[in-house]
Amino acid sequence: MRYAFSTLGLPGTALERAAGLAAAHGYQGLELRAHPEEPLHPGSSAADRAAGLRTLASAGVTALGIAGYAQVAAPGPDEPVLTEIQALVRLAADLEAPYVRVFPGGGELPSAAADAHAVRRLRATAPFAERHGVRILLETHDSHRTGTATARVLDRVAHPGAGALWDVLHTWLGGESPAESARALAAYLGYTQVKDVRSAHELTPLGLGAGALPLAEAVALVPEQGWLCWEYEKRWYSDAAELPGQLARGREHLEALVRAASAR
């Protein structure tokens, strides 16, 4: 198993520091939040991208994914969504990241309409991503919170340039067991985001293993050569504990879960 964490847990932090923390605490990858608040985003210059890639290489850390905010199931015209996804794909390619994260964002649309938007836009962008050596991952989130809902879209897209990102919090909030999620996403899984919270009503991030999420069940279902990425949502919860002091314990907890799963 390989381990990464999201820079959402280190808002506004220089890439050199984030990569150094990853290397020092046994994480092989970083999920890079692609937002203007962060060091690298779709508006970053070619020079900044090249410098970022050198920084990651120097630390021995991989850019696992580019965490974008495009919403493929959202109402409105296609063109802005397609343009946003293409920009994220180019950033991922420049940073040698294999994945781009997108959200559903279907809001209050009927599920059939939201699905149709997502299918059409992913079909339009998946070939572009594949040509750049990148895979677009639809995260289990908001209007398509469960693995079943996400797979319903990807079944229709039917292109290797599109896959799934399993966020274990959202599938749990959607009432889906880890076994159901893993089964639905098996053909599409890019990587898995882990996290922990106190309850479905108290979502302030906690250290891994300190909350209510069924992490042991989920981790046991991730492919042995897969990636587990800790998404600690410090950006949205300013009162949450700082991430750096928890990184070693978090990786050790995940390793223990992987060992326990392997021993079964």
Side-chain angles (χ1 to χ4, degrees):
M1 194 71 68
R2 291 166 290 177
Y3 305 96
F5 65 83
S6 171
T7 58
L8 187 66
L10 300 168
T13 297
L15 183 60
E16 184 174 11
R17 172 162 167 72
L21 286 168
H25 293 97
Y27 293 83
Q28 295 83 30
L30 285 173
E31 180 190 72
L32 301 176
R33 179 179 180 241
H35 189 279
E37 295 175 348
E38 305 301 336
L40 293 169
H41 53 84
S44 295
S45 68
D48 285 346
R49 296 173 191 223
L53 183 58
R54 289 194 299 271
T55 295
L56 292 167
S58 178
V61 173
T62 296
L64 169 61
I66 302 301
Y69 290 90
Q71 297 184 330
V72 296
D78 287 354
E79 196 57 38
V81 181
L82 303 183
T83 298
E84 184 175 1
I85 294 172
Q86 289 169 351
L88 290 166
V89 166
R90 291 188 185 97
L91 177 62
D94 287 344
L95 295 174
E96 299 181 359
Y99 302 117
V100 160
R101 185 279 305 279
V102 298
F103 284 138
E108 300 302 316
L109 286 176
S111 60
D115 285 2
H117 285 321
V119 169
R120 187 176 62 253
R121 290 161 178 167
L122 288 171
R123 280 179 177 169
T125 52
F128 178 85
E130 186 179 42
R131 289 196 298 273
H132 284 77
V134 175
R135 195 177 187 201
I136 302 165
L137 301 184
L138 178 61
E139 183 171 326
T140 56
H141 198 274
D142 59 86
S143 61
H144 292 67
R145 175 167 270 176
T146 63
T148 301
T150 301
R152 188 176 68 226
V153 169
L154 295 171
D155 285 345
R156 292 174 58 192
V157 175
H159 193 285
L165 198 169
W166 179 14
D167 181 325
V168 299
L169 171 64
H170 284 276
T171 53
W172 178 72
L173 290 173
E176 196 173 63
S177 72
E180 290 169 327
S181 303
R183 188 162 50 248
L185 299 174
Y188 303 115
L189 186 64
Y191 63 96
T192 302
Q193 282 182 347
V194 294
K195 57 190 76 173
D196 222 340
V197 297
R198 193 171 307 282
S199 73
H201 306 289
E202 177 47 75
L203 300 180
T204 301
L206 300 175
L208 295 177
L213 285 184
L215 292 180
E217 295 174 57
V219 167
L221 295 164
V222 175
E224 290 183 4
Q225 300 304 313
W227 281 91
L228 293 171
C229 179
W230 185 6
E231 187 187 46
Y232 186 81
E233 297 184 334
K234 174 67 173 176
R235 175 62 184 83
W236 314 127
Y237 296 89
S238 59
D239 293 338
E242 297 294 328
L243 179 60
Q246 304 181 74
L247 285 170
R249 290 194 302 273
R251 193 250 314 143
E252 290 163 3
H253 183 70
L254 293 176
E255 288 181 335
L257 295 181
V258 170
R259 286 196 301 272
S262 299
R264 290 175 191 167

